[in-house]
Amino acid sequence: MTPEEFRAHAHELVDWMAEYLTHVGERQIVPSVAPGDVRRALSAAPPERGEAFDRIAADFEEIIVPAMTHWNHPGWFAYFPANSSPPSILAEMLTATLGAQCMSWQTSPAATELEQLVMEWLRQMLALPDGFTGVIQDTSSTATLVALLTARERATAYAAGERGLAAVSQQPLTIYASAEAHSSVPKGVKLAGFGLEQLRSIAVDSAFAMRPDLLEAAIEADIAAGRKPACVVATVGTTSSTAIDPLRAIGEICRRHGIWLHVDASYAGSAAVLPECRYLFDGVELADSFVFNPHKWMLTNFDCSAYFVCDVDALLRTFQATPEYLRTARDGDVVNFRDWGIQLGRRFRALKLWFVIRSYGVDGVRQMLRRHIALAAEFRTWVEAAADFTVAAPSPFGLVCFRYAPVSLAGDGAALDAANRALLARVNAHGSVFLTHTVLGGRYTLRMAIGQWQTAREHVEAAWTLIQNAVPAMAATT
Ligand code: PLP
C-alpha cells in the first residue's frame, strides 16, 4: 500500500467509523448468525497474492460487521459496558500508527512517562492513597494474577525471615475471596500455582458482600493448621450484583495478620471519581493493590486496566528479569514497565487514557457516571413500582438486578427461573437492547447494566417498555 493509498483508505475508514458511531443504535445488537456462518463466508485458505483494499473493506462491511455484537450500541445493558469513546478511538489509531513496543523507557520514552503521568492522574481522580503507584495492565484478570504472584513473593519472603528458608516450601499459602468474587480469582489462583484447594470462598451477607467475621475465622483456622494466609481479594462492585465487600473491616484483618489485600474494583472503580461515591471505597488505604478498568466505565476502548500497588519493591522482585540484550545505559534512572507485570512487550495504552481524560476532563467523566447512576436509580424505581417485578439486590452504581415475580408463581422457584429465562430471551430477541443474567441467592436474575457512553434516558425507557411488553406476550405463548 503506497502512502497515498493509505491516506485515501484511512479517510474512507474514518468516514465509516463516524457513520458507525452515529447510527450504531439502529443496528441489531446481537447478530442473527449461527456458529460457522462467518467461517463459511470466508476463504478457507490464505490468498496467494495480495488483494485490493476495496475488496477487503467490502468483506469487512458485508461479512464481518453484520456478524458482530455491537458493544457500542446505546441499548447495551449486558455484562458490564465497554466504552469506546471517540477520543479513545482516535488515540488507538495513533497507537497503531506509531507501532511502538513499550517494554522499556528506551523503547518508548514518551509512552513510559505518559503512563506514569496518566496513572498519577487516575490516582488523583479516584482519590486513592498517595502511596499508590500505577501501571497499566491489559485486563483485570492479569492484574489480579499479578497481585496474587506479588502477594506470594511477599508471603514467602516474610516466612523465610520468620521460619528459615528450608521451612518455607513446606508451608502452604492460602488465598481468600468472597463467594461472589469474579472467576478471574480462582483462575489466577490456579495459574499462580497455589492450587484451588488453597482458595477459601468466604460466604456473603444478604447484600452479597463478604462477611469479615467469617474471613477472620477462616484465616485463624488456617494459621492454627500451620498454613500461611497470603492474600485476600476483596471486591468493590461484584460482577453479579455490584456488591461491595467492606474494605475497612477486611483491611484491618489483613493488617493484623500481615496479609496482602488486593481490591478488585474492575467495573465500579470509576465511581470513585465521584466524591459522593467515595464512602463506598472506605478503607481503600488499607489495600496493597487495587485494580479498575477504564475500559469498562471510563470512556476508554478495550483494553486498559489500571493497576495500583503500594509495595513497588515487592512487585519488582516478582517480575524483574533483565537479560543482557535488554540492558540499557538508562536503567538506573528510569522506569522499565516490562518489570511491572507478566508480559515483556507492551502496547502504548497510556495515549488513549490521556486523550480521554484531556477531552472530557474530570468533570466530563463525572457527568457521564452521574448520568448512568441516576438512570439506574430511576430504572430501579420503575421495577419497584411494577406489581410483577422485584429488585434482587442493592444497586449503588449503574447495575440493577431484578426479576419477574408474578404472584401466580410465588413460591415456585423453578417456574420463576424459567419465566425469567424466557422473558430475557424475548426481550433480547427484539434486537434493540441486550441484557444478560446471573444467579443470585440461587435464583435466575436479570441484570440491567447502564453504562454505555451513548445511552440516554430514552434507551432505558425503551428497554423497560420492552421488558413489560414481553410479559403478556409470554403469557400468550405459554
Ligand atoms: N473482576 C470483576 C469484578 C469483573 O466484573 C470483571 C469483568 O467483568 C473482571 C474482574 C474481569 O475483567 P477483565 O475482562 O478486565 O479481565
Side-chain angles (χ1 to χ4, degrees), residues 222-269:
D222 279 326
I223 293 172
R227 294 182 277 264
K228 177 151 186 67
C231 185
V232 174
V233 181
T235 311
V236 177
T238 57
T239 314
S240 278
S241 73
T242 63
I244 301 165
D245 291 342
L247 293 188
R248 182 162 301 285
I250 294 170
E252 283 165 2
I253 294 168
C254 289
R255 287 279 161 107
R256 271 202 294 283
H257 296 281
I259 304 171
W260 186 284
L261 172 59
H262 173 59
V263 175
D264 176 359
S266 294
Y267 156 73

Side-chain angles (χ1 to χ4, degrees), residues 105 108-119 334-335 337 348 350:
W105 183 88
S108 256
T112 301
E113 294 187 19
L114 199 61
E115 181 160 340
Q116 290 177 293
L117 180 80
V118 290
M119 292 307 286
V334 297
V335 162
F337 275 124
F348 188 5

Side-chain angles (χ1 to χ4, degrees), residues 189-354:
V189 166
K190 254 197 328 189
L191 290 174
F194 290 103
L196 276 181
E197 66 283 3
Q198 305 308 108
L199 174 63
R200 308 283 176 261
S201 178
I202 308 299
V204 294
D205 62 18
S206 59
F208 307 104
M210 187 195 286
R211 280 188 48 190
D213 56 326
L214 297 182
L215 171 68
E216 186 144 41
I219 289 170
E220 283 170 357
D222 279 326
I223 293 172
R227 294 182 277 264
K228 177 151 186 67
C231 185
V232 174
V233 181
T235 311
V236 177
T238 57
T239 314
S240 278
S241 73
T242 63
I244 301 165
D245 291 342
L247 293 188
R248 182 162 301 285
I250 294 170
E252 283 165 2
I253 294 168
C254 289
R255 287 279 161 107
R256 271 202 294 283
H257 296 281
I259 304 171
W260 186 284
L261 172 59
H262 173 59
V263 175
D264 176 359
S266 294
Y267 156 73
S270 300
V273 178
L274 298 174
E276 65 270 30
C277 283
R278 299 235 170 98
Y279 75 98
L280 301 169
F281 298 81
D282 177 53
V284 70
E285 72 278 7
L286 301 174
D288 294 281
S289 54
F290 177 96
V291 65
F292 88 101
N293 283 344
H295 73 226
K296 280 194 165 65
W297 202 16
M298 203 186 270
L299 297 157
T300 307
N301 72 291
F302 192 83
D303 53 4
C304 183
S305 195
Y307 178 64
F308 293 89
V309 64
C310 288
D311 187 349
V312 173
D313 285 344
L315 182 79
L316 293 176
R317 279 201 312 276
T318 313
F319 294 104
Q320 205 160 35
T322 315
E324 189 51 40
Y325 47 82
L326 294 178
R327 281 187 204 285
T328 73
R330 303 285 193 161
D331 286 350
D333 312 322
V334 297
V335 162
N336 289 321
F337 275 124
R338 67 164 189 271
D339 295 330
W340 293 55
I342 293 165
Q343 64 201 84
L344 169 65
R346 306 179 78 251
R347 302 182 63 230
F348 188 5
R349 296 190 182 88
L351 191 68
K352 56 190 176 186
L353 273 174
W354 191 56

Side-chain angles (χ1 to χ4, degrees), residues 1 3 33 54 66 96 131 133 141 150 253 257 262 336-337 363 384 392 413 424:
M1 189 178 284
V33 284
D54 289 341
T133 309
S141 304
T150 313
I253 294 168
H257 296 281
H262 173 59
N336 289 321
F337 275 124
D363 188 54
E384 283 168 341
L424 184 64

Side-chain angles (χ1 to χ4, degrees), residues 29-30 69 75-79 424 428 431-436 447:
I29 300 189
V30 180
T69 297
W76 183 272
F77 302 115
Y79 308 106
L424 184 64
N428 286 340
S432 62
V433 299
F434 184 35
L435 284 75
T436 48
R447 293 171 77 265

